[in-house]
Amino acid sequence: MRTIPRETVVDAVAALCVDANRFLPADVLASFARAQAAETLPAAREIFSQLTQNAALAAETGLPLCQDCGLGVFFVEVGEDVRLADGSLREAINAGMVKGYREGFLRKSTCDPFSRKNVGDNSPAVVHFDLVPGDTLKICMMAKGGGSENMSRVTMLAPAQGWKGIRECVIRRVAESGSNPCPPVLVGVGIGGNFELAAINSKKALLRAVDDVHPDPEVAAMEADLFASINRLGIGPMGLGGRTTCLGVKVRVAPCHLASLPLAINIQCHSARHKEVTL
Amino acid sequence: MAEYHLTTPLRDAEVEMLRAGDVALLTGVIYTGRDAAHKRLVEALDAGRELPFPPKGAVIYYVGPSPARPGYPIGAAGPTTSYRMDSYAPRLLAEGVKGMIGKGMRAPEVKAAMIARKAVYFGATGGAGALLGLRIKEARIVAYEDLGPEAVRELVVVAFPVLVINDCLGGDLYATPDLEAALG
């Protein structure tokens, strides 16, 4: 059994939070350049030019990319042969997140759901653990803002609705979201599993790189169809019209109950901030 | 589509010349306010109290900035989604507020109130928080400090880039999604 000091986790998580909020992943930036080249509308081109400038300014000044630094969402793969030297792993991740949001001058956005009083330190971190073979700890941090998260939905379809029903639901959800979630968006789709697994899978799918092609050709075909179809909506960057309503669609499929066809759609704004570390 | 340099507070004549699709560069004082602050602003009006800023010609920016780093007046400061302020906006427009800055679609009641009160809805680029924050030269809290990022701040902006989404004649810049083409 390998042990990892608590401080190693705290410091690594703090750095993930700061870096994720400050540096846009290279694949996302590259997708802006591709999309900008495809746009003919001046307003759409201007938006991509501002987003590219914004990424450069954030990297240069240390300001976060977006004022909404999100809830800290963590997907953690815990090796069965690794443990924290002292204390709980969940607590260490939360402490790292609090440290990162404080030291990185990141906005703290958690509040009481009724009084709306701000908690003040962005805690608690939203943490999803998976137990995996091995003796390493892989932590993926996602800074998930409220504007795009609010446009996300979980829905339980009837099995007879099949792919046609899934396709229509996803396209309609993006259409109804319109300009609200900061398009161009990335669309994470969780198909199958059950109510909560579909939701987790729809968000986990968004950890893949924008230009990543799904290894299963059938799923890759679904992603390509949804990507092309959503872009025919014509919502465009920031809702101003144009060819780029979405930058990518990522699907994750799981077996489900014979009575169910769970579907979750997680909308991610263009500022697709995530970063991972393996300890 | 025209480009205008506007100085706040906005006057009726300026609002009347703006059309959906025009670019505007705002200079002067604007006020921040989002969900929790709007609730309190409207509660203040309901209780017969004054607003914590002069509403005539005011521009309200829907933003909850990130904390200022040393050497900067404010952190990242891009717009938040506007529909959450829809239930409060007509009341503030009735007090003389002339401009709102946010992102995303507005409710029919807000668009109607903009026509009735001669006001304008500007869009700023969502997610361009660093770029927009750097156009803000001064920031100070004027009310509701306990709300943290949601407190009402007075911002001094220079050439703050916005786009007219809804004008006071009912013009709307947002594209209507083409569901038929997508579902095809």
XYZ file of all heavy atoms in Angstrom, chain A residues 84-184:
751
model
N -4.186 7.981 1.682
C -3.658 9.231 2.200
C -2.947 8.932 3.521
O -3.439 8.139 4.322
C -4.827 10.206 2.423
C -4.493 11.690 2.381
C -4.037 12.079 0.978
C -5.702 12.512 2.779
N -1.790 9.574 3.752
C -1.020 9.297 4.972
C -1.819 9.664 6.222
O -1.783 8.958 7.218
C 0.294 10.062 4.933
N -2.537 10.790 6.170
C -3.329 11.185 7.340
C -4.567 11.944 6.893
O -4.536 12.701 5.935
C -2.511 12.047 8.306
C -1.723 13.115 7.592
O -1.628 13.041 6.337
O -1.221 14.023 8.236
N -5.670 11.688 7.555
C -6.920 12.377 7.241
C -7.652 11.754 6.074
O -7.232 10.728 5.524
N -8.764 12.385 5.703
C -9.587 11.832 4.626
C -9.264 12.500 3.304
O -8.931 13.688 3.247
C -11.076 11.977 4.963
O -11.609 13.133 4.374
N -9.368 11.729 2.245
C -9.055 12.228 0.909
C -10.047 13.323 0.503
O -9.681 14.352 -0.064
C -9.091 11.055 -0.082
C -8.717 11.369 -1.524
C -7.369 12.050 -1.635
C -8.729 10.078 -2.347
N -11.311 13.109 0.814
C -12.325 14.110 0.471
C -12.012 15.450 1.155
O -12.089 16.513 0.535
C -13.717 13.617 0.895
C -14.843 14.575 0.493
C -16.185 14.099 1.024
N -16.643 12.867 0.407
C -17.297 12.802 -0.758
N -17.569 13.898 -1.435
N -17.686 11.652 -1.246
N -11.623 15.353 2.423
C -11.310 16.580 3.181
C -10.083 17.275 2.584
O -10.028 18.506 2.480
C -11.117 16.212 4.659
C -10.875 17.373 5.605
C -9.429 17.845 5.639
O -8.507 16.995 5.497
O -9.240 19.066 5.775
N -9.087 16.475 2.170
C -7.864 17.056 1.598
C -8.165 17.760 0.274
O -7.630 18.838 -0.020
C -6.810 15.964 1.393
N -9.027 17.149 -0.520
C -9.403 17.765 -1.807
C -10.154 19.074 -1.547
O -9.900 20.100 -2.182
C -10.254 16.777 -2.652
C -9.364 15.630 -3.133
C -10.900 17.494 -3.840
C -10.107 14.474 -3.757
N -11.070 19.044 -0.583
C -11.813 20.273 -0.260
C -10.867 21.360 0.240
O -10.965 22.523 -0.187
C -12.886 19.965 0.787
C -13.859 21.110 0.934
O -14.569 21.444 -0.007
N -13.848 21.742 2.096
N -9.931 20.980 1.104
C -8.977 21.965 1.644
C -8.113 22.542 0.518
O -7.819 23.750 0.504
C -8.097 21.302 2.708
N -7.723 21.705 -0.429
C -6.934 22.177 -1.567
C -7.724 23.150 -2.425
O -7.206 24.170 -2.887
N -8.993 22.832 -2.616
C -9.849 23.714 -3.412
C -10.006 25.085 -2.727
O -9.869 26.129 -3.364
C -11.212 23.053 -3.610
C -12.022 23.705 -4.684
S -13.532 24.548 -4.213
C -13.939 24.083 -2.612
N -10.241 25.054 -1.429
C -10.403 26.312 -0.681
C -9.119 27.159 -0.792
O -9.172 28.370 -1.039
C -10.751 26.018 0.799
C -10.628 27.268 1.665
C -12.164 25.434 0.908
N -7.975 26.493 -0.657
C -6.678 27.178 -0.748
C -6.500 27.772 -2.146
O -6.125 28.945 -2.294
C -5.576 26.150 -0.458
C -4.158 26.665 -0.506
C -3.197 25.547 -0.045
C -1.796 26.073 0.194
N -0.901 25.900 -0.934
N -6.766 26.999 -3.158
C -6.600 27.465 -4.536
C -7.498 28.649 -4.850
O -7.061 29.637 -5.465
N -8.753 28.585 -4.429
C -9.693 29.683 -4.727
C -9.316 30.946 -3.961
O -9.532 32.052 -4.457
C -11.145 29.245 -4.443
C -11.759 28.574 -5.663
C -11.281 27.339 -6.095
C -12.763 29.183 -6.415
C -11.796 26.730 -7.232
C -13.279 28.587 -7.553
C -12.799 27.357 -7.954
O -13.298 26.766 -9.087
N -8.740 30.766 -2.757
C -8.324 31.938 -1.974
C -7.050 32.541 -2.563
O -7.013 33.733 -2.891
C -8.096 31.534 -0.506
C -7.783 32.715 0.410
C -7.524 32.275 1.849
N -6.337 31.425 1.944
C -6.343 30.165 2.386
N -7.471 29.592 2.772
N -5.224 29.458 2.429
N -6.045 31.721 -2.751
C -4.742 32.240 -3.199
C -4.763 32.684 -4.662
O -3.960 33.524 -5.063
C -3.660 31.167 -2.981
C -3.406 30.921 -1.501
C -2.364 29.817 -1.257
O -1.926 29.171 -2.218
O -2.026 29.616 -0.067
N -5.654 32.111 -5.458
C -5.718 32.466 -6.880
C -6.660 33.622 -7.167
O -6.910 33.930 -8.323
N -7.231 34.244 -6.129
C -8.205 35.335 -6.297
C -9.343 34.887 -7.218
O -9.749 35.605 -8.132
C -7.533 36.610 -6.841
C -6.508 37.181 -5.894
C -5.164 36.792 -5.951
C -6.887 38.079 -4.915
C -4.235 37.288 -5.054
C -5.970 38.599 -4.019
C -4.629 38.202 -4.084
N -9.831 33.685 -6.966
C -10.929 33.142 -7.765
C -12.255 33.433 -7.054
O -12.295 33.507 -5.824
C -10.740 31.631 -7.947
C -9.386 31.214 -8.538
C -9.285 29.689 -8.623
C -9.198 31.832 -9.927
N -13.313 33.574 -7.835
C -14.600 33.909 -7.222
C -15.188 32.701 -6.503
O -15.191 31.599 -7.023
C -15.593 34.399 -8.277
C -16.779 35.105 -7.656
C -17.771 35.550 -8.715
N -18.715 34.500 -9.011
C -19.605 34.566 -9.997
N -19.643 35.624 -10.787
N -20.449 33.588 -10.202
N -15.683 32.966 -5.289
C -16.321 31.909 -4.510
C -17.811 31.999 -4.761
O -18.436 33.016 -4.461
C -16.028 32.071 -3.011
C -14.564 31.831 -2.632
C -13.733 33.053 -2.879
C -12.270 32.899 -2.466
N -11.470 34.025 -2.999
N -18.397 30.909 -5.248
C -19.783 30.996 -5.716
C -20.768 30.094 -4.990
O -21.936 30.093 -5.337
C -19.836 30.680 -7.216
O -19.045 31.606 -7.934
N -20.326 29.324 -3.989
C -21.313 28.474 -3.310
C -22.098 29.297 -2.304
O -21.551 30.150 -1.606
C -20.668 27.291 -2.560
O -19.603 27.781 -1.758
C -20.162 26.243 -3.508
N -23.394 29.010 -2.247
C -24.243 29.711 -1.279
C -25.333 28.784 -0.775
O -25.560 27.711 -1.345
C -24.849 30.967 -1.910
S -26.110 30.640 -3.141
N -26.010 29.196 0.318
C -27.141 28.442 0.833
C -28.261 28.521 -0.208
O -28.536 29.596 -0.739
C -27.594 29.066 2.161
C -28.770 28.324 2.746
O -29.929 28.615 2.359
O -28.544 27.442 3.591
N -28.911 27.375 -0.504
C -29.918 27.413 -1.577
C -31.138 28.272 -1.244
O -31.834 28.726 -2.154
C -30.312 25.946 -1.754
C -29.869 25.255 -0.515
C -28.702 26.022 0.014
N -31.414 28.497 0.034
C -32.615 29.281 0.391
C -32.279 30.721 0.741
O -32.785 31.658 0.145
C -33.377 28.595 1.527
C -33.839 27.226 1.139
C -33.258 26.100 1.683
C -34.836 27.059 0.184
C -33.664 24.830 1.296
C -35.258 25.798 -0.214
C -34.669 24.676 0.352
N -31.361 30.903 1.715
C -31.029 32.275 2.114
C -30.149 32.948 1.076
O -30.029 34.159 1.050
C -30.315 32.279 3.469
O -28.990 31.770 3.318
N -29.507 32.170 0.219
C -28.562 32.625 -0.807
C -27.311 33.241 -0.193
O -26.555 33.933 -0.871
C -29.200 33.616 -1.802
C -30.532 33.203 -2.382
C -30.526 31.882 -3.067
N -29.610 31.761 -4.204
C -29.485 30.674 -4.949
N -30.221 29.608 -4.672
N -28.644 30.610 -5.956
N -27.083 33.017 1.101
C -25.889 33.545 1.751
C -24.665 32.782 1.233
O -24.645 31.551 1.222
C -26.008 33.382 3.270
C -24.896 34.052 4.053
C -25.188 33.968 5.551
C -23.954 34.143 6.413
N -23.002 35.139 6.017
N -23.648 33.555 0.825
C -22.437 32.952 0.269
C -21.660 32.211 1.363
O -21.458 32.737 2.454
C -21.563 34.038 -0.373
C -20.547 33.466 -1.354
O -19.716 32.634 -0.990
N -20.620 33.898 -2.594
N -21.236 30.994 1.076
C -20.473 30.199 2.052
C -19.124 30.870 2.319
O -18.590 30.802 3.418
C -20.288 28.748 1.531
C -19.346 27.957 2.425
C -21.635 28.046 1.428
N -18.565 31.509 1.285
C -17.370 32.317 1.484
C -16.061 31.700 1.040
O -15.092 32.414 0.818
N -16.015 30.374 0.909
C -14.732 29.771 0.505
C -14.901 28.766 -0.641
O -14.012 27.972 -0.912
C -14.039 29.120 1.701
C -14.842 27.976 2.299
O -15.907 27.623 1.735
O -14.407 27.412 3.329
N -16.063 28.805 -1.300
C -16.388 27.921 -2.435
C -16.621 26.470 -2.042
O -16.893 25.637 -2.903
C -15.330 27.984 -3.550
C -15.970 27.958 -4.933
O -16.963 28.662 -5.161
N -15.433 27.177 -5.830
N -16.504 26.146 -0.751
C -16.726 24.752 -0.354
C -18.227 24.487 -0.220
O -18.998 25.426 -0.047
C -15.995 24.443 0.956
O -16.595 25.165 2.005
N -18.685 23.269 -0.269
C -17.877 22.069 -0.440
C -17.558 21.770 -1.907
O -18.359 22.061 -2.790
C -18.789 20.984 0.125
C -20.176 21.467 -0.168
C -20.107 22.967 -0.072
N -16.392 21.170 -2.119
C -16.052 20.693 -3.452
C -17.025 19.559 -3.803
O -17.440 18.805 -2.929
C -14.618 20.167 -3.460
N -17.397 19.476 -5.070
C -18.241 18.369 -5.529
C -17.282 17.277 -5.999
O -16.532 17.488 -6.962
C -19.156 18.812 -6.687
C -20.020 17.652 -7.163
C -20.019 19.994 -6.257
N -17.251 16.147 -5.280
C -16.239 15.129 -5.585
C -16.892 13.797 -5.961
O -17.782 13.323 -5.262
C -15.300 14.895 -4.379
C -14.094 14.060 -4.798
C -14.835 16.207 -3.766
N -16.458 13.234 -7.076
C -16.918 11.911 -7.498
C -15.710 10.963 -7.477
O -14.725 11.207 -8.169
C -17.499 11.961 -8.901
C -18.599 12.961 -9.055
N -19.837 12.799 -8.469
C -18.657 14.155 -9.696
C -20.605 13.835 -8.760
N -19.907 14.683 -9.496
N -15.817 9.907 -6.672
C -14.707 8.943 -6.575
C -14.992 7.699 -7.405
O -16.115 7.197 -7.414
C -14.523 8.502 -5.116
C -13.986 9.564 -4.217
C -14.800 10.188 -3.279
C -12.646 9.948 -4.297
C -14.301 11.169 -2.439
C -12.143 10.921 -3.449
C -12.974 11.540 -2.521
N -13.953 7.203 -8.069
C -14.009 5.886 -8.698
C -12.831 5.093 -8.172
O -11.701 5.599 -8.149
C -13.869 6.001 -10.226
C -15.175 6.365 -10.893
O -16.221 5.829 -10.480
O -15.150 7.206 -11.818
N -13.095 3.846 -7.759
C -12.017 2.973 -7.296
C -11.476 2.218 -8.503
O -12.251 1.621 -9.262
C -12.601 2.003 -6.260
C -11.678 1.435 -5.205
C -10.939 2.535 -4.452
C -12.478 0.579 -4.239
N -10.146 2.299 -8.724
C -9.548 1.645 -9.904
C -8.336 0.820 -9.460
O -7.813 1.034 -8.358
C -9.100 2.694 -10.953
C -10.280 3.502 -11.476
C -8.027 3.621 -10.389
N -7.866 -0.119 -10.280
C -6.661 -0.873 -9.915
C -5.441 0.057 -9.897
O -5.443 1.095 -10.563
C -6.516 -1.903 -11.035
C -7.812 -1.885 -11.789
C -8.412 -0.552 -11.580
N -4.397 -0.320 -9.137
C -3.155 0.446 -9.170
C -2.878 1.203 -7.884
O -3.637 1.114 -6.915
N -1.771 1.966 -7.879
C -1.376 2.680 -6.664
C -1.185 4.176 -6.927
O -0.351 4.834 -6.317
C -0.109 2.054 -6.061
C 1.098 2.194 -6.969
O 0.926 2.697 -8.103
O 2.199 1.807 -6.552
N -1.960 4.685 -7.886
C -1.889 6.134 -8.140
C -3.244 6.781 -7.885
O -4.272 6.103 -7.764
C -1.458 6.439 -9.594
O -2.400 5.843 -10.480
C -0.061 5.931 -9.893
N -3.166 8.115 -7.833
C -4.358 8.920 -7.562
C -4.456 9.915 -8.716
O -3.546 10.722 -8.921
C -4.116 9.655 -6.237
C -5.228 10.452 -5.604
C -6.407 9.552 -5.270
C -4.705 11.113 -4.340
N -5.544 9.796 -9.507
C -5.712 10.736 -10.621
C -6.860 11.682 -10.275
O -7.969 11.245 -9.964
C -6.021 9.963 -11.900
C -6.165 10.850 -13.123
C -6.301 9.984 -14.384
C -6.915 10.771 -15.508
N -7.284 9.899 -16.627
N -6.557 12.973 -10.292
C -7.562 13.975 -9.925
C -7.814 14.885 -11.118
O -6.892 15.552 -11.602
C -7.096 14.828 -8.721
C -6.681 13.920 -7.552
C -8.180 15.797 -8.289
C -6.071 14.674 -6.382
N -9.067 14.906 -11.604
C -9.457 15.834 -12.676
C -10.317 16.914 -12.056
O -11.307 16.613 -11.391
C -10.285 15.141 -13.740
S -9.449 13.790 -14.542
N -9.932 18.177 -12.266
C -10.705 19.292 -11.734
C -11.413 19.995 -12.875
O -10.829 20.253 -13.927
C -9.773 20.288 -11.048
C -10.475 21.385 -10.280
S -10.848 22.835 -11.281
C -11.820 23.798 -10.132
N -12.697 20.287 -12.669
C -13.466 21.021 -13.656
C -14.052 22.242 -12.952
O -14.653 22.108 -11.885
C -14.578 20.112 -14.171
C -15.408 20.664 -15.289
S -16.801 19.557 -15.618
C -16.216 18.683 -17.018
N -13.839 23.421 -13.539
C -14.450 24.641 -12.986
C -15.748 24.837 -13.754
O -15.732 25.230 -14.911
C -13.509 25.827 -13.176
N -16.855 24.510 -13.100
C -18.132 24.504 -13.831
C -18.980 25.698 -13.427
O -19.472 25.781 -12.305
C -18.866 23.181 -13.529
C -20.048 22.909 -14.436
C -19.615 22.652 -15.881
C -20.735 22.100 -16.744
N -21.719 23.098 -17.162
N -19.177 26.602 -14.360
C -19.943 27.822 -14.096
C -21.436 27.569 -14.056
O -21.924 26.547 -14.540
N -22.162 28.531 -13.484
C -23.607 28.376 -13.283
C -24.436 28.587 -14.539
O -25.468 27.939 -14.719
N -24.002 29.488 -15.401
C -24.805 29.830 -16.578
C -25.046 28.639 -17.490
O -26.169 28.419 -17.947
N -24.002 27.867 -17.736
C -24.155 26.711 -18.621
C -24.771 25.533 -17.871
O -25.601 24.795 -18.412
C -22.809 26.321 -19.233
O -21.883 25.955 -18.235
N -24.390 25.383 -16.596
C -24.941 24.277 -15.798
C -26.473 24.388 -15.700
O -27.182 23.379 -15.747
C -24.312 24.298 -14.395
C -24.648 23.103 -13.523
C -23.798 21.858 -13.808
O -23.169 21.783 -14.878
O -23.796 20.959 -12.955
N -26.973 25.631 -15.602
C -28.420 25.847 -15.499
C -29.175 25.364 -16.729
O -30.372 25.109 -16.656
C -28.723 27.342 -15.325
C -28.435 27.827 -13.928
O -28.250 27.032 -13.007
N -28.398 29.137 -13.756
N -28.504 25.278 -17.851
C -29.166 24.857 -19.085
C -29.171 23.338 -19.244
O -29.707 22.805 -20.200
C -28.477 25.509 -20.294
C -28.568 27.025 -20.309
S -30.281 27.589 -20.452
C -30.469 28.493 -18.904
N -28.541 22.616 -18.310
C -28.410 21.163 -18.402
C -29.687 20.474 -17.917
O -30.450 21.049 -17.131
C -27.218 20.705 -17.570
O -26.055 21.383 -18.026
N -29.930 19.271 -18.396
C -31.142 18.541 -18.026
C -30.892 17.040 -17.940
O -30.075 16.497 -18.685
C -32.245 18.742 -19.076
C -32.772 20.171 -19.191
C -33.576 20.589 -17.970
N -34.162 21.902 -18.153
C -33.557 23.069 -17.878
N -32.331 23.080 -17.394
N -34.178 24.218 -18.071
N -31.663 16.384 -17.058
C -31.734 14.921 -17.043
C -33.163 14.561 -17.401
O -34.103 15.180 -16.899
C -31.409 14.330 -15.650
C -31.514 12.807 -15.678
C -30.024 14.741 -15.196
N -33.329 13.587 -18.274
C -34.681 13.201 -18.642
C -34.741 11.683 -18.807
O -33.762 11.060 -19.213
C -35.143 13.964 -19.908
O -36.402 13.459 -20.308
C -34.184 13.829 -21.058
N -35.866 11.099 -18.446
C -36.019 9.648 -18.540
C -36.929 9.352 -19.729
O -38.136 9.575 -19.676
C -36.610 9.097 -17.239
C -35.818 9.469 -15.968
S -34.098 8.931 -15.962
C -34.283 7.221 -15.485
N -36.337 8.863 -20.808
C -37.112 8.563 -22.007
C -37.707 7.157 -21.901
O -37.254 6.336 -21.092
C -36.209 8.643 -23.243
C -35.513 9.970 -23.520
C -34.654 9.860 -24.778
C -36.517 11.097 -23.671
N -38.694 6.880 -22.735
C -39.210 5.510 -22.847
C -38.287 4.760 -23.810
O -37.822 5.358 -24.788
C -40.629 5.541 -23.388
N -38.002 3.481 -23.539
C -37.092 2.734 -24.415
C -37.469 2.826 -25.896
O -36.591 2.892 -26.757
C -37.210 1.300 -23.893
C -37.536 1.455 -22.444
C -38.411 2.676 -22.359
N -38.759 2.884 -26.195
C -39.201 2.933 -27.601
C -38.743 4.198 -28.314
O -38.676 4.235 -29.541
C -40.724 2.816 -27.670
N -38.427 5.239 -27.554
C -38.001 6.490 -28.194
C -36.637 6.377 -28.864
O -36.358 7.090 -29.819
C -38.010 7.635 -27.170
C -39.415 8.057 -26.776
C -39.401 9.143 -25.714
O -39.443 8.847 -24.524
N -39.304 10.389 -26.137
N -35.797 5.483 -28.316
C -34.527 5.148 -28.962
C -33.649 6.322 -29.345
O -33.740 7.411 -28.766
N -32.790 6.078 -30.322
C -31.830 7.096 -30.764
C -32.552 8.340 -31.295
O -32.130 9.473 -31.050
C -30.896 6.506 -31.834
C -30.154 7.531 -32.622
C -30.268 7.785 -33.949
C -29.193 8.481 -32.126
N -29.453 8.824 -34.314
C -28.781 9.271 -33.215
C -28.656 8.736 -30.853
C -27.852 10.295 -33.098
C -27.728 9.771 -30.736
C -27.327 10.539 -31.833
N -33.670 8.124 -31.995
C -34.419 9.251 -32.572
C -34.864 10.209 -31.449
O -34.726 11.426 -31.560
C -35.634 8.703 -33.324
C -36.356 9.717 -34.175
C -37.359 9.014 -35.105
C -38.122 10.019 -35.959
N -39.141 10.753 -35.209
N -35.368 9.613 -30.358
C -35.829 10.416 -29.227
C -34.680 11.133 -28.535
O -34.789 12.295 -28.140
N -33.564 10.422 -28.399
C -32.374 11.001 -27.762
C -31.890 12.202 -28.582
O -31.651 13.295 -28.061
C -31.245 9.943 -27.679
C -31.615 8.861 -26.661
C -29.904 10.587 -27.337
C -30.699 7.652 -26.691
N -31.781 11.977 -29.891
C -31.267 13.001 -30.795
C -32.129 14.269 -30.725
O -31.622 15.384 -30.598
C -31.278 12.405 -32.210
C -30.718 13.302 -33.264
C -30.685 12.570 -34.607
N -30.176 13.467 -35.612
C -30.937 14.324 -36.293
N -32.225 14.383 -36.082
N -30.380 15.138 -37.184
N -33.442 14.042 -30.761
C -34.351 15.185 -30.751
C -34.258 15.954 -29.428
O -34.231 17.184 -29.403
C -35.788 14.708 -30.993
C -36.753 15.874 -31.052
C -38.119 15.510 -31.618
O -38.248 14.466 -32.291
O -39.056 16.288 -31.364
N -34.171 15.201 -28.319
C -34.070 15.837 -26.992
C -32.817 16.705 -26.871
O -32.872 17.815 -26.331
C -33.953 14.755 -25.922
S -35.428 14.507 -25.016
N -31.700 16.176 -27.343
C -30.432 16.911 -27.222
C -30.490 18.190 -28.064
O -30.153 19.287 -27.583
C -29.232 16.035 -27.661
C -27.940 16.842 -27.658
C -29.094 14.812 -26.747
N -30.967 18.047 -29.295
C -31.009 19.214 -30.191
C -31.970 20.282 -29.642
O -31.648 21.472 -29.622
C -31.412 18.775 -31.623
C -30.295 17.908 -32.225
C -31.704 19.978 -32.506
C -30.678 17.193 -33.503
N -33.139 19.827 -29.163
C -34.110 20.788 -28.616
C -33.563 21.510 -27.381
O -33.814 22.682 -27.168
C -35.432 20.092 -28.253
C -36.276 19.776 -29.463
C -37.678 19.291 -29.053
N -38.425 18.881 -30.222
C -39.074 19.718 -31.044
N -39.080 21.015 -30.774
N -39.716 19.274 -32.101
N -32.811 20.769 -26.552
C -32.261 21.385 -25.328
C -31.277 22.497 -25.687
O -31.276 23.573 -25.103
C -31.587 20.310 -24.457
C -30.961 20.866 -23.184
C -31.940 21.017 -22.021
N -33.022 21.943 -22.145
C -33.031 23.199 -21.683
N -31.993 23.700 -21.075
N -34.097 23.954 -21.805
N -30.426 22.230 -26.672
C -29.461 23.259 -27.078
C -30.209 24.443 -27.699
O -29.890 25.600 -27.428
C -28.405 22.690 -28.060
C -27.444 23.779 -28.500
C -27.633 21.546 -27.406
N -31.251 24.141 -28.475
C -32.034 25.217 -29.109
C -32.690 26.089 -28.037
O -32.652 27.327 -28.114
C -33.082 24.620 -30.031
N -33.290 25.445 -27.032
C -33.968 26.208 -25.976
C -32.978 27.009 -25.133
O -33.315 28.055 -24.600
C -34.762 25.253 -25.070
C -36.061 24.782 -25.709
C -36.588 23.478 -25.109
O -36.125 23.092 -24.013
O -37.449 22.852 -25.765
N -31.775 26.524 -25.010
C -30.757 27.243 -24.231
C -30.344 28.536 -24.925
O -29.963 29.506 -24.272
C -29.514 26.382 -24.048
O -29.834 25.191 -23.402
N -30.400 28.527 -26.250
C -30.108 29.723 -27.042
C -28.800 30.388 -26.666
O -27.756 29.729 -26.573
N -28.879 31.673 -26.399
C -27.671 32.446 -26.096
C -27.293 32.381 -24.618
O -26.242 32.881 -24.232
C -27.914 33.903 -26.503
O -29.140 34.354 -25.931
N -28.126 31.767 -23.777
C -27.880 31.806 -22.317
C -26.579 31.153 -21.835
O -25.939 31.683 -20.932
C -29.049 31.167 -21.561
C -30.302 32.006 -21.641
O -30.226 33.200 -21.902
N -31.452 31.401 -21.435
N -26.193 29.984 -22.354
C -25.038 29.299 -21.745
C -23.670 29.703 -22.301
O -22.708 28.967 -22.115
C -25.319 27.836 -22.058
C -26.060 27.862 -23.350
C -26.841 29.149 -23.384
N -23.553 30.861 -22.970
C -22.293 31.280 -23.593
C -21.876 30.347 -24.728
O -20.825 29.685 -24.643
C -21.165 31.408 -22.573
S -21.301 32.878 -21.579
N -22.698 30.268 -25.778
C -22.263 29.494 -26.938
C -21.083 30.172 -27.624
O -20.950 31.396 -27.492
C -23.503 29.479 -27.847
C -24.352 30.629 -27.416
C -24.026 30.883 -25.960
N -20.246 29.432 -28.392
C -20.408 28.020 -28.725
C -20.151 27.107 -27.518
O -19.200 27.327 -26.776
C -19.369 27.788 -29.813
C -18.330 28.827 -29.570
C -19.064 30.016 -29.049
